[in-house]
Amino acid sequence: MKRYSAFAIAREALRFHTGWERAWRSPEPRRRYDVVIVGAGGHGLATAYYLGKNFGITNVAVIEKGWLGGGNTGRNTTIIRSNYLQDPSAAIYEKARSLYETLSQDLNYNVMFSPRGVIMLAQTHHEVRGYQRTAHANALQGVTTEWISPERVKELVPIIRLDGPRYPVMGGLWQARGGTARHDAVAWGYARACSAMGMDIIQKCEVTGVRTEGGKVRGVDTTKGPIDCGKLGIVVAGHSSHLAEMGGFRLPIESVALQALVSEPIKPCMDVVVMANTVHGYMSQSDKGEMVIGGGTDGFNNYTQRGSFHHIEETVRALIETFPMISRLKMLRQWGGIVDMTGDRSPILSKTPVEGVFVNCGWGTGGFKAIPGSGWAMAELMAKGHSPLTADFGLDRFREGRFIDESVAAGVAH
Amino acid sequence: MSEPTSALNRAEFKGIAKVEETGLHGMITLRGDQSSAAIKKAVLSVAGTVMPEQREAIFSDTGGVVWMSPDELMLLCPYSEVEARVAALNEALAGTHALAVNVSDARTVFRVSGPAARDVLSKLTPADLSPEVFGPGQVRRSRLAQVSAAFWMEDDETFGLFCFRSVAQYAFDLLKVAAAEGSEVGYF
Amino acid sequence: MSVRLSTGGRLIDRATEISFSFNGARLKGYAGDTLASALLGSDQMLVGRSFKYHRPRGIVASGAEEPNALVNMGEGARFEPNQRATTTELFAGLSATSQNHWPSLEFDVGALNAKLSRFLPAGFYYKMFIHPRSFWKHVYEPFIRQSAGLGRAPDSEDADSYEHFHLHTDVVVVGGGIAGLLAARAAAVTGAKVLLMEQTAHWGGRAPVDGGLVDGQPVGDYIDALVRELSEMPNVTLRLRCMASGVYDHGYLLGYERVRDHQPGAPGPRHRLWRVRAKQIVTATGAIERPLSFAGNDVPGVMLASAVRDYLVNYAVSAGKRVIVATNNDDGYRTAIALKQAGQEVLRILDARETGGGALMAEARRLGIRIDCGRAIGKVSGGKRVKKVQICAYAGAGGALEEVACDAVAMSGGWSPVVHLWSHCGGKLTWDAEQAYFRPDATRAPTGADGQPYVVPAGSANGVMMLDAICGDAVEAGRAAAKAAGYKLKKAAAIEAEPAPETPIEPVWMMPRDARVQLRMKAWLDYQNDVKVSDVQLAAREGYESVEHTKRYTTLGMATDQGKLSNINGLATLADALGAEIPAVGTTTFRPPYTPISMGAIGGEARGAVFQPLRRTAMHGWHEKNGADWEPVGHWRRPYAFARSGESVHDAVMREVKNTRENVGLLDASTLGKILVKGPDAGKFLDLLYTNMMSSLKPGKCRYGLMCNENGFLVDDGVVARIDDETFLCHTTTGGADRIHAHMEEWLQTEWWDMQVYAANLTEQYAQVAVVGPKARMLLEKLGGMDVSAETFPFMTWQDGTLGGFDVRAYRISFSGELSYEIAVPTAQGLAFWEALVAAGKEFGIMPYGTEALHIMRAEKGFIMIGDETDGTIIPQDLGLNWAISKKKEDFLGKRAQERAHMTDPNRWKLVGLETLDGAVLPDGAYAVAEGVNPNGQRNTQGRVTSTYYSPTLCKGIAMGLVLKGPERMGEVIEFPGTDGTVFKARIVDPVFYDKDGEKQNV
Amino acid sequence: MLTLECPYCGVMADETELTAGGEAHLKRFGPGSSDEDFEAYLFERENPKGVHFERWRHSHGCGKWFHAARNTMTLEVYGTYPAQTSEPPVEIRNKISGIAPGWSWRLFK
């Protein structure tokens, strides 16, 4: 793999950039791999990457129905934070956040991790107490967060209206090392690194069946023929139930549409990420200058990647109330993605009833921020059969009533 | 005992349509099996009208009966008579499984009138208010911006509607915005 | 230079001069101008700077597809960035400034990027700025952000208002061109209700510019008649300045009406969002001309041939005095002919086709225009405007044959149907190799709720480009839509139209065909985002083969025009680079809106006072007048405390608690839920809803009850009063009223529908006042009426009666531990009753108190609060409420769930009281630490604070919390670290801090 | 933006008048049931790509719960029916079979 650098660009410029090699190979599938990962999104590619990097398992194929990074990795609002309340969540999201810090260097691909800081606004007494609780929890979890005053909020976000007629800003939970990253680059960077380790990324290849024998996985059938494997990882946000059905088991998951939108680009006016959960909206400004906006999910099962417009309305209203200036910006584009919602709204990283089949799903509205940690933990789970980071995220918790509920701190996950 | 007051004291606004809070009305929620003779009889004797059909609103000079759902009616009457009518209903329905309860103070009633009335309400509700679909004699329960409401037509240019009393001010403010000068749509 | 001609201009009114300003300069235009035509009329060629390289940018198009002419408009509360000059109607006093440059449009430091462009290819930032790590955040990113972005950010609150409008109709026709008008009429004559939307301020679209005859009349006259006819049909609504921004599921369509953009400040909403439910949608959205990809095709003065024609015919503005036309199809000739006829000099028509065109070419030649076939533009030179053009053979690498000085270039690369609305909801496209464009695939239309197609394309939006065919197609589309909407068709007379016959287009994706890399690096695809042919080829080379990868890697089509000009050229370039067929490469996803719509319009009326419903009790106004500091609870606001002038909120709370404990306090409890449950099975039903037994409650009595969800968690609590054998009144928390009523209805309707039970939410029927404190009884006795003595009105009972002349229902229940009556009166008398209590209570030192005093008093008594002690993960057993969980009942909601392994785990944290050793107040939400760390390196914990207050009664901090095996560890001291390093030591105690035996409330 | 016919009001209700209530025809398991059955009842969902039976409440309208048979890939609505039933009406099942042969749902087809 030729290294990327300013010098490489200068060198290539002299030959009009005709010398760049492919970022990743696109091979035909081999007959058998030690590990097959279904889903070349961020989570799937990161799982493959850490299988190779941490455990030396490189005889790996990552199979993708469409184009790599084309699922929720390529259609989310790129927020990265780890200020979660419950220990298991804080652990895996903080692992992810800390890996993001050095991801560009690890992958030799600039994923533009921008630790610009994330504020979660408290706009009711209940939220104040919820975030103060989170701040206490974070302090013991090794997650650096801080409860800040309205005045400090205003310093960080000059365009905010503190004394909104309805929900005055009473303070906020501030994570200075939270931020954003370039979502496509995360998938592309992992793909390039996996390919360089000799792994096969097979795009436009749909899994049509999971082959098992005596309760143990044997391989998968695909539109490019059968592929055998020792272990199978299902990492297909939005389609998990569908794949589980092929494996012969059900998941505590419903798939719904989550929407986002961007404004036209304007000059920089907001340097941090702001989440306003009382009114259901969050916003950051991309490096291109667009205001990147997200909100809530549809209430009904949906696989169309199109949401209902009234959710966009609700979110935009909320943000106009919080940031009056956006009223005169224009929405450039809206889109939707399909997210897996679990019974407790927390993810599932788990063994399954089928030996050798592992599932990573249920990230709901918050998956992007977790990609490196999720891949790291999933790789450990698949390689060793257990991982402290995944221990609490098993399927068994739904039977035992041992939930991981983040909504309790009034903090919705994004 | 003091003089009961409606939420907005008959507040009014005149824009491209006239908006009025119409004061206190006697309102009775009647839950029960609308196909049962006992209920039909009770409605006839207490409200003086036959049982309304689906989405029908029947008015008489002393009040009316509005269909709310297959097992729910809203009986309208003068505010002063409501307790007596609830008592009469309970009497007429003795032994029948039904629920008659005074909700006069839990609702606020508005009137929106003028040639632009349909336009004004159509700014706030997703319900189809086209003349060929909705007119006098019918009721529609739907959404008025962010709150629930039921509306009917007194004549082709006059809507009656009610919502919960706690959001009366919100509903009035909404209707004022929707009827603001210069906001003519000219669709209906 | 571009000029305003002395005659002509079908849309302008020369009698009305309009003055406006651009970058401070006073300029003049005419009524009917767009900002773009007025700027060109004033020879303002340079209007902006591109996104990445800050290249000089001029107006290239004449409509919604314009990528370059974006300006800052207006000032202060009416300022708006990124306004598209080509779709902005000129009005008196309009002030606009250009964007994305520093210090000035003419001289822009950012243009340095252009010099470095060779070092800034597609995706360069993924490959550099990697080291040193901290530089991305602190050096590189701030620089990139500064030079990116277009318009200025608005800095004040929007002065305008917005609204929505809902309507249901049979057929919506999108586009007011000849096709839309004909489709609308064809649908309307069947009786169907039709709404016709046109995004511009004029009917007719392109046809009047391009000319031709329909039914023997000039198409312009025919259109005028058609509009007159339609405006007289009662079942037709015509709407100008109204763009269909998106098509959504189940026949939902959004229309974006710019009501006041052309007359800012006039009363009424600025924008209106039409939320339409249509049975059928006809998309007569026309087609957009494609640029040609040649070196320097982005120099100001290079324009779409159709745009040059539009400005000439509609506004009498000529893009240049000496023009070169480059084309690969016959339509380009129309521009040359129009220019020539308007007395402008057309130096050349360069037709890439070896054999040139047909009738139009003949006419151009007859007019004496020089036509070079098989020729192409090798390169356009000029900085801020076109200076000269290098002409070369199309079939070649770009060797210059000659150089011609000129001041404008009109380019025509063929037309692409506008398929956005067709595609928004899943309509598929098919590639027409003959005409070289994607058009709607009629066999794969978007389908609605009934599974049937609901979008019908018409005219050039359907890939039909000839006037006669357009007319026929439009009529058929209108009829098809009406039929699908359920209307009977009558025979329709065919429409005769005469177009000039045209010879086929020859697809040209790079000009010249085999241009060398130096030229490809100067051939723009996306003008705004600076994406060039060489960038797409680079993406393909590096394996970004999916069209989505290429788009995202190069940013092709991601600018504010969403690739209206660049997408087809871009993916053709990609297909060529991959050696694949264009349809195999496919398009990127079309997403709403068609062109950007204002956030204000999306929000609609919901701002300020009507942002959200605010629920008010009968006493709300009194609270406001008496210094209430509000606490939002759901959509209600409850007084947190009543601060007196000069008094802090905290002091007010302390005073309220003291006074209630010593004298008498008043609480507005109206917001608490009151749900009437009646029927033969009411008791049985409530036994399933509550954890405790309700069927055994005697009429006249009250009982505190707990509700869990099916998952076992505590969701609400409250006092249930039994009214008679068949009737119960269930009190809920303030937040719970609607939720619990819905919860009851859900179980009654969807699981236990055989039960004979009716529920009614009476929350708002009653204003409820808690009269609390040792002097409560004295106060009520003074009011007079019912007997409120302990003997006849004992604790946990209720009675109907009168007080001070008010009909009341009174409950002897207490959430404060004091002697307490909760009194309900009809809401219409709530305020009067409250004021009567305040007046009568003077002598007893009565004071109203708010929710914080309420919370403190209940905490002093060790009463739990839903939302404080509970958070959705807590079961009653955690809170020592086992006494309220019936052992006798075989079933209630949550019972089965509470038998699961984790719910019966002896190590669950349990409720206790907490007292700091020094009397300090524990921090809210603090956790108690245990030894060591968990496998993830997180500090182990053994409990947390759920409620913590300073108790003015006990003069010290008190708290409630959940602690591992807490009740077994009374007296033990545990540590709660704060977030600031301080550590609080607290002793585990009984949660009941005050009046443990309940003597006070029971008097 | 869905529209569903409320079988009680007989009107086409806009999605914004409705509240979605998740999968329909779940069999309630209470005290005495196995951990497996109880977990399945509370959490395991069909979540199919295709025919879906689901619950809706006309919350801004008559307040009644009803069921809808809807396709999660195309959003086609095969029909709506009152909630007081443990199985979809046979006419709706037949209609679905006509449009989407081979569909299946838990116990019935």
Side-chain angles (χ1 to χ4, degrees), chain A residues 17 22-23 68 74 105 109-110 114 116 129 165 167 267 287 306 313 327-328 331 333-334, chain C residues 100 118 126 130 141 148 158 160 248-249 275 541-542 544-545 549 552 562 597 612 637 868 946:
Chain A
H17 302 282
R22 296 180 62 95
L68 71 88
Q105 293 71 34
Y109 198 103
N110 187 357
S114 169
R116 53 184 63 184
R129 305 178 64 246
Y167 299 108
K267 289 298 176 188
D287 287 343
R306 296 187 301 266
E313 288 174 9
S327 178
R328 292 188 85 90
M331 172 172 78
R333 186 176 175 90
Q334 65 169 101
Chain C
N100 199 35
R118 189 165 171 183
Y126 300 122
I130 295 173
E141 187 182 32
D158 192 341
D160 286 312
Y248 301 81
D249 291 294
R275 310 163 99 210
R541 189 178 309 124
E542 293 193 273
Y544 299 87
E545 294 170 339
H549 283 153
R552 292 151 179 261
Q562 290 284 288
I597 65 176
Q612 272 183 4
R637 276 183 184 176
D868 289 355
T946 58

Side-chain angles (χ1 to χ4, degrees), chain A residues 309-388:
Chain A
F309 193 74
H310 61 97
H311 294 291
I312 299 275
E313 288 174 9
E314 190 198 352
T315 301
V316 167
R317 271 189 225 135
L319 292 173
I320 290 175
E321 199 64 11
T322 317
F323 309 96
M325 51 81 73
I326 73 162
S327 178
R328 292 188 85 90
L329 299 185
K330 298 189 222 71
M331 172 172 78
L332 173 61
R333 186 176 175 90
Q334 65 169 101
W335 66 92
I338 302 306
V339 297
D340 295 336
M341 304 303 267
T342 65
D344 61 1
R345 300 294 182 264
S346 286
I348 294 167
L349 297 92
S350 179
K351 299 179 176 177
T352 69
V354 181
E355 190 185 341
V357 176
F358 301 79
V359 63
N360 177 346
C361 63
W363 290 96
T365 61
F368 175 74
K369 68 175 73 63
I371 284 173
S374 163
W376 180 286
M378 187 70 179
E380 185 174 30
L381 177 65
M382 290 185 74
K384 294 164 55 179
H386 57 83
S387 161

Side-chain angles (χ1 to χ4, degrees), chain C residues 78 154 196 272 315 705 738 743 774 781 910 926:
Chain C
R78 292 209 157 87
L196 174 58
R272 177 180 295 129
Y315 310 100
D738 298 338
H743 175 67
E781 280 164 346
K910 296 252 163 68

Side-chain angles (χ1 to χ4, degrees), chain D residues 39-93:
Chain D
E39 178 195 11
Y41 154 56
L42 277 193
F43 298 108
E44 285 182 3
R45 295 297 175 255
E46 292 287 291
N47 195 29
K49 288 185 174 181
V51 181
H52 190 254
F53 296 92
E54 59 199 17
R55 313 184 319 144
W56 290 86
R57 186 180 186 216
H58 196 187
S59 43
H60 279 295
C62 62
K64 297 296 182 204
W65 282 91
F66 64 88
H67 291 344
R70 187 178 58 86
N71 187 303
T72 59
M73 300 290 282
T74 64
L75 306 192
E76 176 174 2
V77 179
Y78 304 112
T80 58
Y81 50 99
Q84 292 75 41
T85 172
S86 53
E87 284 197 0
V90 65
E91 62 272 19
I92 287 181
R93 283 151 71 174

